[in-house]
Amino acid sequence: MRDVGIIGIGQTAVAEHWDRSIEDLAVEAITEARRDAGTDRADALFVGNMLSGELAGQENLATAIADAAALLPIEALKIEAACASGGAALRAAWLAVASGAHDYALVVGVEKMTDHLTDGVTAALATAADADYEAGFGISFVALTALLMRRYMHDHAARREDFAAFSINSHRNAALNPRALYRQPITVADFIASPVVADPINVLDSAGICDGAAALLICPAAEAGRARRTPVRIAASACATDTLGLAERADPLVWQAVAGSARLAYDRAKVGPKDIDLFEVHDAFSIVSVLTLEACGFADRGSALRLAAEGRIALEGDIPICTLGGLKGRGHPVGASGVYQIVEVVQQLRGEAGPAQVKGARVGMAQSVGGSGSVSVTHILRA
Amino acid sequence: MELPRYHRMRRALYRLEGTSCPSCSRRFFPPRAVCPACRKGGLEPFPFSGRGTLYSYTRITQAPRGFASVAPYAVGMVRLEEGPLVSAPLADTDGIDLSIGMPVEMVTRRIHEASENGPIVYGYKFRPRLRPPRQ
Ligand SMILES: [Zn+2]
């Protein structure tokens, strides 16, 4: 396998883009990534997207985007892995370039969710769960996560407000990111007063419904030196899976897919949790951040809430997470989020994160999670 | 729910029928065709008793499409006496303080609103078990 570098990044603002189509958003991000890289070369396009069939009525999405972006006749494929689609699209592109099948690959993660009312989006997101035995019973995606959070609170004597520190951290960092959706800081009182979605999960504990696109251009590291920008190296790319149904696991509070993809990535990059300077966590809900930090070796079982309480996840802490707002602060256009995470790690490793810069960042990790922890893609990047 | 899917799932929905592995005797709900432990097929039907305890629960305020008319409603995860955990709606919870570990039992109830092109779907829910089971 060849070493692969990221030479261009692009992103739209995350927002409610009522006046723009899914193709419009993708084209803007792709154009920005190509301009950033300073090259028009592209041999293939990998699109990360979860819901274009459900919400835009458009499958064959990769062809639609290749066409709109004037990339024809290159190979173009949509990669779907629920909320982990963005990370999975980069992984597919990395496989193509590392193997030698392609030299220059574009990745775009895109989602357009705001054409629909909340009940339609809630039903669409529930397709990440088991259609027969979860979604078919009206058990929404948020509800499955709420079941996990309630059990965690029971097992570890935690209160709802103990989880607020994760939302506060994401919103504080989002305020420093001009592309983020929710740029207003929040307090513990705001968190407690926030309306309930599925008890004990409230609105400020959930990533919001929104639109956005983010893009990357990758190529072999040997060629990346000729690019306009100093490349960021992909030190590891890994994917692992777990049961589709949350109840079918030996212990629902131990996220094996998340742990497995992180372990594979640590092995390939020859690093451990202590070497990671920042971690873009899939913080769709605070309990997801908690279970992820425990599964990936940053905290012992039952102790991740302490990391947040002690400020260790903040920009100046020893394991900063969601440094440009994460899913909750930047916004979570589901199939795009995994690519936004990579764009943000590249910004950090280039030293271009502005007031959100993590000082001296050399090694960054990003992790996409789909379903209730049923699929996970982890990438480790090096400056 | 589409009629063929409903028909396919009828044993699970009405009898809480899962499967068991003849090699390792692990039991599964929902039914599996291949045992994840032995990685072999040939699993046999296994109806669960429907008795268990509440592992976790939530009350859904923001319902997905098709469930709005019954919101808010409670759902949970139940640890069945025979071992597996099951995610399911909860029934008869009005005025009851749900708690982790409380005994519950399966009942058959309406699961889904009638839709334009689908049948009214009946299936399992779990309700608090107020008296100890008869021996
Ligand atoms: Zn077996």
Side-chain angles (χ1 to χ4, degrees):
Chain A
M1 294 293 234
R2 305 188 287 185
D3 265 356
V4 177
I6 299 171
I7 59 169
I9 56 173
Q11 57 181 320
T12 72
V14 178
E16 299 188 353
H17 290 288
W18 290 314
D19 55 340
R20 322 207 33 216
S21 71
I22 193 166
E23 292 90 347
D24 292 339
L25 295 171
V27 169
E28 180 186 329
I30 288 170
T31 305
E32 189 177 303
R34 300 176 91 188
R35 196 186 310 130
D36 183 54
T39 174
D40 280 340
R41 278 204 62 185
D43 306 323
L45 170 69
F46 295 89
V47 177
N49 173 268
M50 174 181 174
L51 297 169
S52 71
E54 289 275 332
L55 297 183
Q58 182 67 65
E59 287 296 8
N60 202 3
L61 181 68
T63 303
I65 290 172
D67 189 0
L71 292 165
L72 302 178
I74 64 169
E75 173 176 347
L77 301 169
K78 165 170 160 170
I79 310 294
E80 189 276 318
C83 322
S85 298
L90 172 59
R91 173 152 175 79
W94 176 83
L95 286 168
V97 174
S99 68
H102 286 299
D103 285 332
Y104 285 72
L106 278 164
V107 179
V108 65
V110 62
E111 206 75 66
K112 181 91 187 79
M113 306 170 77
T114 64
D115 284 2
H116 293 262
L117 298 176
T118 302
D119 67 331
V121 177
T122 304
L125 289 170
T127 61
D130 186 321
D132 286 344
Y133 293 96
E134 292 176 337
F137 282 87
I139 306 174
S140 67
F141 191 58
V142 184
L144 290 165
T145 314
L147 293 171
L148 286 173
M149 182 169 166
R150 167 103 55 206
R151 184 69 198 197
Y152 189 95
M153 289 164 67
H154 172 267
D155 286 3
H156 302 295
R159 300 162 306 166
R160 187 207 303 255
E161 53 265 40
D162 295 334
F163 292 80
F166 286 95
S167 293
I168 291 169
N169 179 66
S170 291
H171 281 263
R172 188 200 296 128
N173 295 345
L176 308 175
N177 177 2
R179 305 296 183 100
L181 176 58
Y182 298 114
R183 304 193 58 211
Q184 66 289 11
I186 60 163
T187 64
V188 176
D190 295 332
F191 184 87
I192 292 168
S194 164
V196 170
V197 181
D199 183 31
I201 289 182
N202 59 34
V203 168
L204 281 181
D205 201 10
S206 323
I209 292 166
C210 54
D211 309 325
L216 309 164
L217 182 62
I218 68 172
C219 74
E223 298 205 24
R226 296 212 301 268
R228 196 169 74 83
R229 308 300 311 265
T230 309
V232 165
R233 199 161 67 82
I234 300 176
S237 170
C239 177
T241 49
D242 202 349
T243 63
L244 183 64
L246 181 59
E248 294 177 71
R249 303 185 194 155
D251 184 342
L253 294 177
V254 177
W255 277 22
Q256 298 288 3
V258 163
S261 74
R263 197 165 48 239
L264 287 167
Y266 292 148
D267 286 352
R268 283 171 199 169
K270 300 190 173 61
V271 297
K274 285 193 170 54
D275 304 308
I276 305 295
D277 296 322
L278 67 126
F279 182 10
E280 290 306 323
V281 170
H282 187 93
D283 67 325
F285 306 95
S286 295
I287 184 65
V288 174
S289 302
V290 165
L291 297 178
T292 294
L293 289 167
E294 294 178 7
C296 295
F298 294 96
D300 292 334
R301 185 160 190 192
S303 70
L305 287 170
R306 271 214 308 280
L307 282 187
E310 293 167 0
R312 295 173 58 191
I313 62 168
L315 292 176
E316 57 282 358
D318 61 317
I319 180 60
I321 69 167
C322 307
T323 63
L324 285 152
L327 278 56
K328 275 194 265 189
R330 173 231 306 127
H332 182 29
V334 285
S337 288
V339 184
Y340 272 99
Q341 290 177 321
I342 300 292
V343 165
E344 290 158 359
V345 174
V346 171
Q347 288 179 301
Q348 289 286 3
L349 298 182
R350 284 177 176 178
E352 292 176 355
Q357 183 64 47
V358 173
K359 290 191 180 58
R362 304 291 298 165
V363 182
M365 179 155 121
Q367 189 179 59
S368 256
V369 179
S372 301
S374 54
V375 54
S376 169
V377 182
T378 301
H379 286 97
I380 295 175
L381 309 184
R382 267 186 194 281
Chain B
M1 188 182 283
E2 309 80 4
L3 194 54
R5 190 201 294 251
Y6 188 20
H7 182 74
R8 253 187 339 262
M9 290 175 64
R10 67 194 182 282
R11 290 189 191 86
L13 288 173
Y14 297 157
R15 300 178 52 196
L16 207 64
E17 187 178 289
T19 51
S20 75
C21 173
S23 318
C24 70
S25 18
R26 280 184 178 80
R27 291 149 180 178
F28 305 103
F29 192 90
R32 285 180 174 275
V34 178
C35 173
C38 307
R39 307 204 184 245
K40 277 192 282 213
L43 274 62
E44 291 154 358
F46 182 89
F48 287 89
S49 67
R51 286 189 300 273
T53 53
L54 201 54
Y55 173 88
S56 190
Y57 60 93
T58 181
R59 189 171 289 273
I60 299 177
T61 317
Q62 217 173 76
R65 184 182 290 151
F67 293 87
S69 68
V70 289
Y73 55 95
V75 303
M77 286 167 87
V78 173
R79 175 71 70 191
L80 298 174
E81 278 183 0
E82 298 89 346
L85 260 183
V86 178
S87 298
L90 302 177
D92 305 345
T93 58
D94 285 352
I96 288 179
D97 283 331
L98 295 169
S99 62
I100 287 174
M102 93 190 311
V104 293
E105 64 190 355
M106 178 202 155
V107 289
T108 301
R109 294 288 166 86
R110 191 166 70 177
I111 299 297
H112 199 280
E113 293 170 19
S115 61
E116 268 173 50
N117 50 5
I120 299 173
V121 173
Y122 291 85
Y124 55 83
K125 292 189 181 184
F126 286 81
R127 72 174 172 199
R129 179 152 45 98
L130 299 175
R131 285 167 305 219
R134 272 179 238 117
Q135 296 302 311

